[in-house]
Amino acid sequence: LTEQAEKAYLMDIYKRFPITIKHGKGARVWDEDGRCYLDFTAGIAVNVLGHGHPKLVNAIKSQAERAIHVSNLYWTEPQIALAKLLSTNSIGGKVFFANSGAEANEAALKIARKFGRSQNESKYRIISAHNSFHGRTYGALTATGQPKYRKPFEPLLEGFDYVEYNDVGSLESKMSPDVCAVILEPIQGEGGIVPARREFLEAARRLCDKYNALLIFDEVQTGMGRTGKLFAYQHYDVTPDILTVAKGLGGGVPIGAVVANERADVLEPGDHGSTFGGNPLACAAGIVVLEELTSGTFLKRVQEVSHHLLERLKELEETYEAVVEVRGMGLIVGMELKEEFNALEFATKALKEGLLVTVSGKNTVRLLPPLIIDEADVDEAVEILEKVLRG
Ligand SMILES: Cc1ncc(COP(=O)(O)O)c(C=O)c1O
């Protein structure tokens, strides 16, 4: 029934797995037949606190009773409180709220262009990496270094160049005084879970300083505790001028954000805006998520569980021919498979065994569990992965 209805009423855009999810609790979800699955997708890095987290649910409920939406014509307390939390827990500076990752990146790109052109008419070039993913809207799509996403929608924006990820020479060769920004993911998520090398991000910082360009880190997938620190850049000690965040920020409620330091604080009234951006419902959710992630031993636990997960997956890598490599940091982990073993088929088999995983890159099984999982959840997931590997 669901499949028929989808064909009749929904655009045929998503390759969906063949289940309908009704509800979730913690790291588990249930389908319409009452079957339970261990959720190692978490809405693609969104449900950081898992499903049905009581504090998050209560905050959303009580905010909904007070005011679901208030326009940016007025001030609201949740928006100011969340901006303060985001700023003080990241690079400092000021926040603009959007509703998604793509929109956060659009805002970052507009900031970059205004920053550049206010110095010099020809300073508008933006550099991104091959194999990157920054979203589906025109600016974010142009920055996305994967022709398969871009081609059908050309012509795209002017003034973008692409460099090899993790290749300092490639980046150096494209830098010039005409560059206003470099946008990079500290770990390429959709590109197959490819962590940046330290020297690459350090070179990006150095070259942006040399050419007076802004360094933008897209932490839409890697941010919000995903890597075991609040933001991935904190592992590298390389600080961007602009940080973009979305996905996990609202714990499931749509929200995106840009944090920009003083150099990048160039937007003025009328330059940009969003009807829903920073609405009190989304911000009330974001406050709970940030408070939870930064409280007590939350991130330390993510690191411990990550250690266990990576160890167990390395065992699979050593044991099974099909596994080419396990890569990742914290709870963003990829298991690349040999070409003969199709990652999407693998994920479908895992689903049949009760584990939700997704895929990325050429042939990588992608694990993005909620950050609240424990070692027993990891063991359960690895058991299913092993069963699928055994065939
Ligand atoms: C690194 C990165 N940037 C941007 C986006 C786009 O986010 P959204 O789908 O919320 O527009 C994604 C989505 O997967 C992403 O992984």
Side-chain angles (χ1 to χ4, degrees):
L1 179 79
T2 312
E3 248 185 84
Q4 278 169 7
E6 151 139 6
K7 292 221 162 73
Y9 298 113
L10 287 170
M11 289 192 196
D12 191 14
I13 289 173
Y14 301 103
K15 278 189 219 140
R16 296 184 205 259
F17 291 100
I19 57 169
T20 301
I21 293 176
K22 298 286 269 193
H23 63 100
K25 187 76 201 157
R28 282 168 177 72
V29 295
W30 283 263
D31 72 10
E32 59 187 346
D33 301 322
R35 191 160 176 231
C36 179
Y37 303 84
L38 182 56
D39 182 5
F40 266 45
T41 295
I44 320 189
V46 168
N47 305 99
V48 284
L49 300 181
H51 301 272
H53 188 281
K55 277 192 200 163
L56 181 57
V57 171
N58 285 333
I60 294 168
K61 271 189 192 162
S62 55
Q63 184 57 49
E65 277 164 6
R66 281 196 295 276
I68 295 176
H69 176 75
V70 172
S71 153
N72 283 309
L73 291 168
Y74 314 99
W75 300 105
T76 58
E77 283 170 6
Q79 190 178 116
I80 298 166
L82 182 59
K84 183 176 177 191
L85 272 173
L86 253 182
S87 172
T88 54
N89 281 291
S90 65
I91 63 170
K94 293 189 189 167
V95 177
F96 167 76
F97 285 111
N99 310 288
S100 66
E103 277 181 70
N105 286 331
E106 289 299 325
L109 297 174
K110 282 179 74 176
I111 291 172
R113 283 270 163 93
K114 188 167 182 203
F115 170 85
R117 294 181 66 105
S118 62
Q119 297 167 51
N120 170 350
E121 280 287 295
S122 61
K123 192 174 180 65
Y124 61 80
R125 302 205 74 79
I126 293 172
I127 292 180
S128 69
H130 287 300
N131 224 21
S132 59
F133 187 87
H134 298 292
R136 309 281 192 161
T137 51
Y138 263 92
L141 182 65
T142 308
T144 291
Q146 301 193 53
K148 71 174 178 195
Y149 293 120
R150 295 203 311 257
K151 201 88 195 122
F153 306 104
E154 288 175 347
L156 301 179
L157 300 192
E158 268 180 55
F160 282 67
D161 295 302
Y162 308 92
V163 300
E164 291 302 325
Y165 193 67
N166 276 334
D167 184 335
V168 174
S170 173
L171 182 60
E172 268 167 349
S173 73
K174 287 280 190 323
M175 288 300 290
S176 78
D178 291 345
V179 173
C180 65
V182 174
I183 179 166
L184 295 169
E185 297 158 272
I187 299 174
Q188 290 191 325
E190 301 296 318
I193 316 296
V194 183
R197 284 210 294 269
R198 180 179 287 271
E199 61 268 29
F200 183 62
L201 297 188
E202 284 172 353
R205 180 68 274 173
R206 181 168 41 77
L207 290 164
C208 282
D209 290 342
K210 179 173 168 192
Y211 290 100
N212 191 25
L214 296 176
L215 180 59
I216 305 169
F217 280 170
D218 175 348
E219 293 234 28
V220 167
Q221 193 160 151
T222 55
M224 301 311 293
R226 182 55 51 193
T227 62
K229 293 201 188 245
L230 197 55
F231 296 102
Y233 79 84
Q234 293 161 339
H235 290 277
Y236 292 93
D237 299 320
V238 174
T239 307
D241 300 294
I242 298 178
L243 181 69
T244 60
V245 192
K247 287 190 180 281
L249 177 56
V253 181
I255 185 169
V258 180
V259 191
N261 70 12
E262 213 178 320
R263 277 178 81 211
D265 183 20
V266 296
L267 295 184
E268 294 163 293
D271 276 345
H272 199 52
S274 163
T275 294
F276 288 119
N279 107 355
L281 190 79
C283 289
I287 290 167
V288 172
V289 172
L290 261 173
E291 281 177 353
E292 284 297 295
L293 262 50
T294 52
S295 74
T297 56
F298 191 100
L299 290 173
K300 187 165 164 276
R301 276 297 294 147
V302 173
Q303 290 169 14
E304 285 167 5
V305 175
S306 159
H307 183 74
H308 185 64
L309 175 63
L310 287 168
E311 257 187 3
R312 295 289 327 262
L313 292 176
K314 289 280 176 193
E315 284 167 26
L316 298 186
E317 183 188 312
E318 278 156 27
T319 313
Y320 294 92
E321 276 274 292
V323 182
V324 178
E325 190 183 33
V326 170
R327 295 182 294 266
M329 215 186 261
L331 293 174
I332 174 168
V333 177
M335 183 170 80
E336 187 179 335
L337 300 181
K338 277 200 178 140
E339 257 174 60
E340 344 36 308
F341 302 88
N342 180 291
L344 192 57
E345 273 169 32
F346 186 100
T348 307
K349 286 183 189 160
L351 175 133
K352 288 199 179 109
E353 298 297 335
L355 175 69
L356 303 188
V357 294
T358 178
V359 300
S360 75
K362 278 203 202 81
N363 205 28
T364 298
V365 176
R366 176 169 50 158
L367 309 178
L368 297 163
L371 305 180
I372 44 105
I373 58 162
D374 61 17
E375 284 81 353
D377 296 320
V378 166
D379 290 338
E380 195 180 324
V382 172
E383 214 167 280
I384 294 174
L385 294 174
E386 182 156 23
K387 194 168 173 191
V388 178
L389 281 168
R390 265 196 251 110

